[in-house]
């Protein structure tokens, strides 16, 4: 009794999220990854792509996460997914600056009736769909 078209739409959304995350990780997160940690071998573009896809698929594993409605802790990202992450929360002044920025941005988005925004250098892109 499940609508096949709806199921197909969910599958396409899943694959799109994997593709977008894979592209972002390989292009930005892994851009300075030059050698492997253990063997100190040079990292190729193919290795970046494969690692990005592995992480994207792990993060899209509904059998593990069950929902998009909760966050994934930095401990899980670092220890289980083996991502190297700068913990901005560990520096009190940086943590406070981020908290203040987030609060101001959230207030501004609420006033503008936006459900989201992406801050880019010198500007931002809004998402006004509610």
């Amino acid at each position: 009794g499940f609508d096949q078209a709806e199921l197909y739409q969910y599958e396409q959304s899943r694959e799109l999220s994997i593709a977008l995350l894979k592209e972002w990780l390989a292009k930005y997160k892994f851009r300075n990854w030059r050698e492997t940690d253990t063997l100190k071998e040079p990292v190729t573009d193919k290795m970046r792509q494969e690692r990005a896809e592995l992480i994207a698929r792990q993060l899209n594993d509904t059998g593990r996460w069950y929902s998009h409605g909760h966050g994934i802790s930095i401990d899980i990202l670092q220890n289980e997914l083996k991502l190297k992450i700068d913990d901005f929360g560990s520096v009190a002044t940086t943590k406070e600056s981020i908290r203040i920025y987030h609060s101001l941005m959230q207030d501004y988005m609420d006033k503008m009736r936006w459900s989201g925004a992406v801050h880019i250098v010198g500007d931002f892109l809004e998402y006004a769909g509610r």
Side-chain angles (χ1 to χ4, degrees):
F2 196 74
D3 182 4
Q4 292 295 315
E6 189 175 2
L7 178 60
Y8 180 75
Q9 182 181 4
Y10 292 140
E11 290 171 345
Q12 292 302 303
S13 294
R14 179 191 65 218
E15 292 305 314
L16 177 60
S17 69
I18 289 170
L20 292 173
L21 182 55
K22 177 183 171 184
E23 179 184 352
W24 184 88
L25 285 169
K27 187 174 182 178
Y28 298 106
K29 175 71 176 149
F30 300 152
R31 73 174 171 253
N32 295 323
W33 183 28
R34 302 285 182 236
E35 66 179 23
T36 61
D37 284 345
T38 53
L39 300 176
K40 304 298 180 197
E41 294 178 343
V43 174
T44 65
D45 285 337
K46 182 181 178 191
M47 291 167 75
R48 285 184 193 91
Q49 292 287 327
E50 288 172 352
R51 178 77 173 118
E53 181 162 4
L54 175 66
I55 291 169
R57 292 207 176 272
Q58 287 176 325
L59 288 172
N60 211 299
D61 180 1
T62 56
R64 180 172 185 186
W65 310 111
Y66 302 110
S67 167
H68 290 283
H70 65 85
I72 300 171
S73 74
I74 192 170
D75 289 333
I76 289 174
L77 294 173
Q78 289 176 325
N79 299 324
E80 295 181 30
L81 293 160
K82 306 296 184 206
L83 279 170
K84 293 191 180 216
I85 299 171
D86 295 329
D87 183 2
F88 297 117
S90 66
V91 180
T93 54
T94 305
K95 181 179 180 177
E96 182 64 10
S97 295
I98 291 170
R99 189 195 63 73
I100 290 168
Y101 171 81
H102 178 265
S103 178
L104 288 170
M105 189 64 168
Q106 187 65 53
D107 184 55
Y108 183 71
M109 289 188 318
D110 289 346
K111 284 182 172 70
M112 299 301 291
R113 301 183 55 81
W114 295 342
S115 58
V118 177
H119 192 160
I120 57 177
V121 176
D123 203 357
F124 59 90
L125 306 172
E126 79 270 3
Y127 175 73
R130 278 203 187 219

